[in-house]
Amino acid sequence: MLRHDWKRRPTWPVHVGDVTIGGDNPVVVQSMTTTSTNDTVASVAQIERIVAVGGEIVRLTTQGVREAENLAPIKESLLSHGCNVPLVADVHFNPRAAFAAATRVEKVRINPGNFVDPGRTFKKIEFTDAEYEAELLKIRDALVPLIDLCKEHHTALRIGVNHGSLSDRIMSRYGDTPAGMVESAMEFLRVCVAEDFREVVISIKASNVLVMTETVRRLVDAMDAEDMHFPLHLGVTEAGDGEDGRIKSAVGIGSLLMDGIGDTIRVSLSEEPECEIPVARGILAHVADIASAPHDYPLGVTLDPASPYAPLRRGSSWGTRTTVVLGLDDLGSALDSTVTVALSPDGDVAEAYEFVASHPQLVVLLTADGADRALRVKAFVAGMVERGLTNPVIVSFAYDTADADTLTLQASMDFGYLLLSGIADGICIESAVFGREFLDRLALNILQATRHRISKTEFISCPGCGRTLYDLQSTLREIKAATSHLKGLKIGVMGCIVNGPGEMADADYGYVGAAPGHISLYKGKECKVKNIPTSEALPRLIALIKENGDWIDPQ
C-alpha cells in the first residue's frame, strides 16, 4: 500500500501589504508589468488587467530613482479605483532606486548579483580569502541601511538570484553553478537573519529547468542547515511563449510544488502579463488535487543517493537509450516482453515487485489514474531501486480533460516531475479526446523541457518588462518562423542587457536589446554584432548562424 499525508514545506510568513506569503497561507500568484514605470496610465491599466484575472501581487521594473518615485502616483491611482494590490519594485544595479522604492511600495526586489557587486563580465577574477571577506563586509554595509528602512516602513524584501547575473566574485569561487547561486542568496540571507529581519522572500531562477529545480532544492537544504525558513518564490525565467512557455513553467514550478516546495509563483511568458495568471492558476489547481488525494509516498525521495539534487536517470538496462515516446518510436522487439503494473492508491504492490524481480528482462509499463498518479509511480520506482531492479520503466498516463491547456499543464507537471526525478525510460500520454499527433508532440516537448531529448530548436525568451527595448512578442514570432527548423540549436531572445547575456549564456545564439530600436547579436557569451537597427537584426542573425556552420535550409 502506498499512502502519505502531503504537506508543504513550513516557512515564516512574510507580509506584503494585505497579502501574506508563506506560513499556512495559500500559494500566492503574481506577475510583472511590461509597461514603462514612468507611464502611470498604461501601468495602472495593465495592473488592473492582471488583478482582474486573479493576480495577487504585481511587480514593476524600477531602473532608477525616477521610476521609483513614480510608483507613488501609480499606487494612488490604483487605490482611487478601488484596487489595493501590493506592488513590488524590481531593482537591478541601482541601490538608490531600492531605497526610494522602499518608502512607496509594499516590497522591493534586489538582485545579489548586482546590488553591491558590479555587473557580470564573464571574466575569471581571482579573490584571496581576505579580499573575499572584504567583499562580504561591503554587502553588509550596503544591505543593513535598506533593511532598516524596510523595517521602518513595513516593506518586504525579495532576494532574487538569477542564473544569468551571478557576480564575478561568486563566479570566482563557485563558477556558473547551482552551488554559486545558492551561496549568492545565502550571503544576503545571513545579513537579514543577523539583523532579525524576516520579511524576506527568496527567488532563485534560471531559464534551464534542470538548473532551476536543482538550485531551489539545494537552497532549501542550505536554509534548513542554518535554521532559516524564508518562503520561496518559484519561476522559470525566459520560459518563452505558447505551448513551450507553459510546458517549461509547469515542469519547473509544478515539480517543486508537488514536493511541497514553494509559497508564491510567477509564470514568465513572452506574452501579455495577464496571460500568465490562468497558467499559474492551472498549475496550482493540479497541485491542490494532488494534495487532497490520499497517499503515503516518500515525497522528495531521491533515486540517486550519490547525487540527491541532479536529475539523473536511474540505472536501468536501457541506460544508454534515448528516452522514448511509446507509440512514436520503433522499439523493435523491446516491447515483446512487457508487464503492465496498474498502481491504485490502495493496491498491494508486493506481488508486482516479486514478479518484476523474477523477470529482469521485462519492460515495466506503469499506469495510474487520479491526480496523484505521478507520486504513486515515483514511490513504486523508488521501491524498484531499493530492490536493485533495473528493468526499463515506461510510464503511461491517460487524461480525461477536453481542455488542451489543462492537459498540457497536467501532463507537463506529472511527467516532468518523474523525468526530473530520473525515473522514466519512456513515456506515453493517452487521451480519448485529443489525437495522437498532438499527444506525441506534447510528449516530445516535455522531454525537451527536461533536457532528456532534443527534437527541435529551443527558444530562451524573456517575458519583457519596462526595460524592453523593442517589440518582443512580434520579434519572437519572426525569429521562430525563420529558425524553428534548426533542431538542437538554442536561441536567446532578450529584451535588454540586464539579464540578457547571462540568462542566455546557455544559448548558442542571442538576440539582445542594446538601445531603443537597436539590437546586439551574440554567439554564446560573446557579442559578435553590436547595436544594429532592429530592421537589420534578423537577417544578420541568420547570417551569423550561417557563418558558424549551424544553418540548414528548411525542407
Side-chain angles (χ1 to χ4, degrees), residues 427-438:
I427 64 174
C428 180
I429 305 173
E430 296 284 359
S431 168
V433 178
F434 297 93
R436 195 72 258 161
E437 182 179 354
F438 172 84

Side-chain angles (χ1 to χ4, degrees), residues 302-308 385:
T302 174
L303 301 185
D304 183 2
S307 182
V385 172

Side-chain angles (χ1 to χ4, degrees), residues 29-31 49-56 246 249-250 265-267 269 271-286 403 405-406 409-410 413:
V29 173
Q30 54 183 287
S31 184
R49 291 197 297 273
I50 293 169
V51 173
V53 293
E56 298 169 282
R246 285 156 176 78
S249 298
I265 65 174
R266 190 263 173 117
V267 172
L269 299 178
E271 302 174 18
E272 293 303 306
E274 56 265 33
C275 296
E276 299 175 350
I277 305 302
V279 181
R281 291 291 176 195
I283 291 171
L284 292 180
H286 192 41
D403 182 77
D405 285 344
T406 299
L409 294 180
Q410 291 183 357
M413 292 172 67

Side-chain angles (χ1 to χ4, degrees), residues 195 224 248 261 535:
E195 295 299 309
D224 287 348
K248 270 189 173 183
I261 297 171
S535 59

